Amino acid sequence: MTLRAIGALVAANLRRQTRDRMGLFFMVVMPFITIIFVGLAMGGNSSGSQIPIGVVAQNPDSTGEAILAELRNNSSLAVEEVESADALQDAVRQGSVAAGLVIPTGSTELDLVMTQMNGTGMAARSAIDASVGKVAGVLEATRAAESAGSSPEQAAADVQAAQEDAVSVSVATSGSGDGTPSGFAYTAPANLLLFTFINSMAVAAALVESRRLGMTRRTLAAPVSQRAVLLGEAVSRLLVAVVQAVLITVVSSLMFGINWGDPLAVVAIVGSFCLVATGAAMLMGSLAKSSSHPPALGPPIGIILGMLGGCFWPREVAPDALNAVGYAFPHAWAMDALIALTTPGTGISQVLLEVGVLLGMAVVMMVIAIAVFRRRNLVVS
């Protein structure tokens, strides 16, 4: 009887949810609009792919050709030749390339074009600086050899010989550093957390409406226990959160080629976050006095927590104090874990702390929500 009652409550809540066309738009369409536009603004590429840069180099001299060759030899860059500086600025502004370089003929004054002060833009700038630095080093060494009395041909030969004898140094990056994903690989997990939380809070309006219409108390008049009512309402909110998270995970994988990482770890992190969102929705629905309050309050609360949790911009661009405050809320822990899982080889053992913190937050939130829900919805006076 209890299971049938819970199932009936869940089915009734979900039917009511599917009739809300505006709510469905924010669940099914809006997340992907946001992912596409913000992902393109962040470079559009996914983790592990080459960083696209644009280069204007019409009729390059020997120095320009050397810089262009170094950029093309950089395995982390995908070099695209652009016709003019104006076209390059447009490409950078639109996000089709992460940065650009204008190489003028007969001059060593290069123009670097970039607008993104995020991980992708900074990584592109670092790679361009490294390539230009190599060419500059060769030019300086050649000039020094000529100043010492060598002919241009002999100086060039000496520098080339020195390059061949030089020790080869390879640099590998470990840890978070520049390993922060960019483009769609960053915005997909960020918007999963944002929309899962915001839409969970928004659908809490149904709880207020049930209380206003007396549906909860009429249900209790039937042979249905308070526990069944409580579980039915909680499972309804949890299903909404899970459906939202699964939808973004699957569609973003198919549309943008996002690699979310170890499936077990992703399920643990996203499942824990859904439980937190469920608790927040139950609490919001129990405290709100009007059904208009959850849709009005949910988005700003979710956006603020998302800002503090790094869902809008990479954490490294925010002040330390702001990052510290963010760890008081679930978004920061979930975002850190989902970003970490995009690094190959990262599994559940590397995100156990984040899973534990999220589960702890979920338990605290659910206990408070259940206590408030019982007092305001299940006490028949």
Side-chain angles (χ1 to χ4, degrees):
M1 182 64 188
T2 299
L3 289 178
R4 290 180 58 187
I6 294 173
L9 272 171
V10 171
N13 281 325
L14 294 183
R15 277 198 302 270
R16 187 161 46 177
Q17 186 61 39
T18 56
R19 292 170 185 160
D20 182 0
R21 294 185 178 180
M22 184 60 71
L24 288 177
F25 173 80
F26 278 94
M27 286 188 65
V28 179
V29 179
M30 196 63 193
F32 303 105
I33 294 176
T34 306
I35 290 172
I36 290 173
F37 279 95
V38 180
L40 288 175
M42 294 182 68
N45 60 316
S46 296
S47 178
S49 60
Q50 291 180 310
I51 302 172
I53 66 166
V55 175
V56 178
Q58 296 179 346
N59 302 318
D61 54 19
S62 57
T63 302
E65 289 180 349
I67 294 173
L68 199 52
E70 283 294 340
L71 292 173
R72 286 173 173 160
N73 287 335
N74 193 324
S75 59
S76 66
L77 297 177
V79 179
E80 174 187 344
E81 291 200 40
V82 184
E83 293 183 354
S84 66
D86 290 339
L88 178 61
Q89 290 177 356
D90 289 340
V92 172
R93 193 162 40 242
Q94 293 168 3
S96 58
V97 295
L101 188 67
V102 180
I103 305 175
T105 303
S107 174
T108 56
E109 294 185 2
L110 312 178
D111 290 332
L112 177 67
V113 182
M114 61 180 295
T115 60
Q116 301 176 41
M117 298 303 293
N118 54 31
T120 306
M122 297 307 292
R125 176 173 183 169
S126 297
I128 292 173
D129 286 345
S131 298
V132 173
K134 287 182 181 178
V135 176
V138 171
L139 290 176
E140 287 299 321
T142 303
R143 288 173 185 162
E146 291 177 357
S147 299
S150 299
S151 64
E153 294 77 13
Q154 185 60 46
D158 290 343
V159 171
Q160 184 176 0
Q163 284 182 291
E164 292 174 353
D165 292 339
V167 177
S168 178
V169 178
S170 61
V171 179
T173 302
S174 61
S176 55
D178 285 337
T180 300
S182 58
F184 301 130
Y186 190 90
T187 59
N191 283 283
L192 182 152
L193 301 178
L194 275 175
F195 281 94
T196 297
F197 193 86
I198 287 174
N199 284 325
S200 294
M201 297 280 279
V203 299
L207 276 176
V208 185
E209 194 66 9
S210 296
R211 185 172 68 240
R212 186 184 72 81
L213 297 175
M215 293 175 60
T216 305
R217 295 193 177 191
R218 288 201 298 272
T219 303
L220 290 175
V224 178
S225 66
Q226 290 188 0
R227 178 181 299 179
V229 174
L230 184 59
L231 284 174
E233 297 292 354
V235 171
S236 301
R237 272 76 212 170
L238 179 60
L239 280 178
V240 171
V242 170
V243 168
Q244 176 71 95
V246 170
L247 181 67
I248 293 178
T249 304
V250 173
V251 175
S252 62
S253 297
L254 297 175
M255 287 181 64
F256 313 118
I258 304 300
N259 180 10
W260 291 83
D262 178 41
L264 177 61
V266 172
V267 169
I269 291 295
V270 174
S272 303
F273 187 82
C274 287
L275 287 173
V276 178
T278 300
M282 293 287 289
L283 185 59
M284 169 67 80
S286 301
L287 291 175
K289 295 181 178 179
S290 168
S291 58
S292 63
H293 291 168
L297 296 175
I301 292 175
I303 289 172
I304 291 173
L305 297 187
M307 287 179 177
L308 293 172
C311 297
F312 284 80
W313 45 71
R315 187 175 297 280
E316 59 264 28
V317 304
D320 291 340
L322 196 63
N323 286 333
V325 172
Y327 283 111
F329 305 102
H331 295 63
W333 293 94
M335 193 66 193
D336 281 0
L338 291 177
I339 293 300
L341 290 175
T342 61
T343 301
T346 304
I348 183 70
S349 59
Q350 281 79 40
V351 295
L352 283 178
L353 173 63
E354 287 82 359
V355 174
V357 171
L358 288 172
L359 286 176
M361 289 181 173
V363 169
V364 172
M365 186 66 74
M366 289 297 290
V367 168
I368 297 174
I370 288 172
V372 176
F373 183 83
R374 280 181 181 277
R375 183 167 58 84
R376 302 201 60 177
N377 294 273
L378 301 182
V379 175
V380 180
S381 58

